[in-house]
Amino acid sequence: MNVAADLLRKSAAAMAESVRAGSVSAGALVQASLARIVATDGRVNAFTERTQQRALQRAAALDAQLAAGGENAQALRALPLLGVPFAVKNLFDIEGISTLAGSKIERESPPAKADAALVQRLEAAGAVLVGALNMDEYAYGFTTENSHEGPARNPHDLTRIAGGSSGGSGAAVAAGQVPLTLGSDTNGSIRVPASLCGVFGLKPTFGRLPRTGSYPFVSSLDHLGPFARSVRDLALAYDAMQGPETGAVRDPGCLQRAAEPVAPLLVQGAQSLQGLRIGVLGGFFRARATPDALAVVDRAAAALGATESVELPMVQAGRAAAFLITNSEGAALHLHDLRKRPEDFEPLSRDRFLAGTLLPAAWIARAQRVRRLYAESVARVFDRFDVLLAPATPCAATPIGAEHFEIGGQRLPVRPNMGVLTQPISCIGLPVCAVPVWGGDERAAPLPSKLPIGVQVIAAPWREDLVLRVAAALEAAGVAHAPVAQL
């Protein structure tokens, strides 16, 4: 195995350090990433577009500037993601390419005139975009069984789902195609694929990162964030994307906060959790999880010394409110196409969007009031706890095509209920890191019968530093890890 291909299986931080030291070129890393995609994506189906020419040109430009030396080369060597290949869910704008958002309809849209804000920020940090990734149509689903592009497959068991709606984003990282990806999370669409594909995923606080240049699903609930195979890589990507917007076009939902870097804290020993009050969510979150999902949370809690159980108030009302807001706002966005060309929608998405058009306005107004009361009630829980733990999904990845699973004696549809444990958290915009925990020996190579299930590490708004500290501690203890799939 050559140096670049070997590095591709390691962390983004290691890749950038190798480019910085001159032991590998950015071009070699990008070529290794593209070769891995060619070799594996026929089976995984994570990518819907490869930006090969753009990536090779950008990598060559980086290498030329480094070789030229001088102040420019010195500035480049300071970039945290120098030469690191990455890819994005295909609802992020990529200059010159139509933004599909997982749909057939958007194939007729004109190409994007500029990259999305977060794509620009990652490239400003030295990263190199290599393509766009598969997703549920218009982000409305938890399985990425896309009828237009085909299903994204779980790299650890190709017969199973990758989760959704950012399924391609989770699968590409797990498959070792790229070390970093971007996804979106409205009701769980980062945390679900991170859980099922066995990678780390960060859903920041609502309003923390700008959504400019991304196709919306539910503007009241949409978040954007990264996937990676290590907590440090998550932190490096997150730090690169933080900060207020300065351009003429801005995301009105972004709260324009100054950057609050977290990666330096991890280097300084964030694994020390002295003084943190960590609780384990019970009630709703244990009743809707399989024994396997409860086991991974209990393993994480034991490693952290967390023994106190806590129940969130109003959690079922909060999830109901999120359902109504999602259904109504999502439908309103597509009303014209639902009237004119309903046959071009993915059938399950179309039916739910049509249902959303019929919801009374009074219900949505009430749902927003309930959401506010729920947020205020949960805020009081953080007077007693700094961090909360819960399963990210109720079970491990289900087979592609499976329509139901059983939890607590109930037979439930997979598509809406794979996010049953994530939706109540994103409804009120809390920061969460999904950390992958495996069946069997946590350090053993995963087997199809021993698939990962993620643990949600949850904190109060704007405390991404806490969720990443706890995630880093679980990673350092060997409880959480993200191996590259054996494809």
Side-chain angles (χ1 to χ4, degrees), residues 36-48 50 172 177:
R36 177 72 174 174
I37 295 165
V38 168
T40 60
D41 208 52
R43 288 167 286 162
V44 177
N45 198 33
F47 279 78
T48 57
R50 301 172 197 171
Q177 296 171 332

Side-chain angles (χ1 to χ4, degrees), residues 164-259:
S165 62
S166 311
S169 301
V173 173
Q177 296 171 332
V178 286
L180 289 174
T181 59
L182 294 184
S184 66
D185 190 311
T186 302
N187 291 303
S189 292
I190 288 174
R191 290 159 291 157
V192 168
S195 174
L196 302 187
C197 290
V199 299
F200 293 90
L202 176 66
K203 184 201 78 63
T205 305
F206 181 78
R208 169 70 89 170
L209 299 182
R211 300 170 298 185
T212 306
S214 64
Y215 198 103
F217 173 27
V218 181
S219 61
S220 294
L221 300 170
D222 289 345
H223 309 64
L224 305 179
F227 293 77
R229 290 194 303 272
S230 77
V231 178
R232 187 182 178 199
D233 285 356
L234 271 191
L236 289 172
Y238 169 64
D239 284 354
M241 295 186 290
Q242 286 192 62
E245 294 184 280
T246 57
V249 180
R250 303 182 189 183
D251 171 14
C254 182
L255 298 183
Q256 305 295 320
R257 289 174 68 97

Side-chain angles (χ1 to χ4, degrees), residues 101-153:
S103 72
K104 175 182 177 181
I105 291 170
E106 302 307 326
R107 293 176 185 177
E108 301 172 9
S109 298
K113 295 181 179 179
D115 292 338
L118 297 188
V119 174
Q120 293 181 36
R121 291 183 178 190
L122 286 184
E123 290 218 321
V128 181
L129 181 71
V130 298
L133 299 162
N134 204 353
M135 60 179 282
D136 283 292
E137 183 182 64
Y138 292 123
Y140 208 170
F142 287 120
T143 65
T144 312
E145 293 173 288
N146 187 302
S147 61
H148 311 302
E149 303 287 351
R153 296 180 178 273

Side-chain angles (χ1 to χ4, degrees), residues 177-428:
Q177 296 171 332
V178 286
L180 289 174
T181 59
L182 294 184
S184 66
D185 190 311
T186 302
N187 291 303
S189 292
I190 288 174
R191 290 159 291 157
V192 168
S195 174
L196 302 187
C197 290
V199 299
F200 293 90
L202 176 66
K203 184 201 78 63
T205 305
F206 181 78
R208 169 70 89 170
L209 299 182
R211 300 170 298 185
T212 306
S214 64
Y215 198 103
F217 173 27
V218 181
S219 61
S220 294
L221 300 170
D222 289 345
H223 309 64
L224 305 179
F227 293 77
R229 290 194 303 272
S230 77
V231 178
R232 187 182 178 199
D233 285 356
L234 271 191
L236 289 172
Y238 169 64
D239 284 354
M241 295 186 290
Q242 286 192 62
E245 294 184 280
T246 57
V249 180
R250 303 182 189 183
D251 171 14
C254 182
L255 298 183
Q256 305 295 320
R257 289 174 68 97
E260 299 172 351
V262 295
L265 302 177
L266 301 184
V267 174
Q268 293 167 13
Q271 292 84 355
S272 173
L273 303 179
Q274 186 174 358
L276 280 190
R277 302 165 298 170
I278 302 174
V280 182
L281 289 179
F284 178 94
F285 293 90
R286 292 193 79 83
R288 287 159 181 81
T290 60
D292 287 345
L294 296 178
V296 302
V297 173
D298 292 345
R299 183 187 299 168
L304 298 168
T307 58
E308 191 169 351
S309 178
V310 58
E311 294 192 26
L312 292 189
M314 293 184 65
V315 64
Q316 294 193 62
R319 187 184 182 224
F323 258 118
L324 291 173
I325 294 164
T326 297
N327 208 203
S328 175
E329 283 195 29
L333 188 64
H334 301 289
L335 188 57
H336 175 78
D337 288 327
L338 288 165
R339 286 172 171 159
K340 298 294 184 181
R341 50 190 303 184
E343 70 283 354
D344 289 332
F345 284 83
E346 196 280 331
L348 291 176
S349 297
R350 178 191 61 223
D351 293 348
R352 286 181 295 160
F353 281 138
L354 286 170
T357 66
L358 304 177
L359 292 174
W363 288 16
I364 309 308
R366 185 174 183 183
Q368 291 287 15
R369 290 197 297 272
V370 168
R371 179 188 179 202
R372 177 68 181 180
L373 290 171
Y374 171 46
E376 291 172 352
S377 297
V378 173
R380 290 190 282 273
V381 173
F382 287 109
D383 291 337
R384 296 187 293 122
F385 295 94
D386 300 301
V387 169
L388 302 172
L389 305 178
T393 51
C395 59
T398 51
I400 291 171
E403 294 186 5
H404 296 87
F405 54 21
E406 188 170 305
I407 302 173
Q410 284 188 295
R411 189 168 182 262
L412 300 170
V414 172
R415 195 173 174 113
N417 285 288
M418 194 59 84
V420 65
L421 304 175
T422 53
Q423 191 167 29
I425 306 303
S426 45
C427 173
I428 50 177

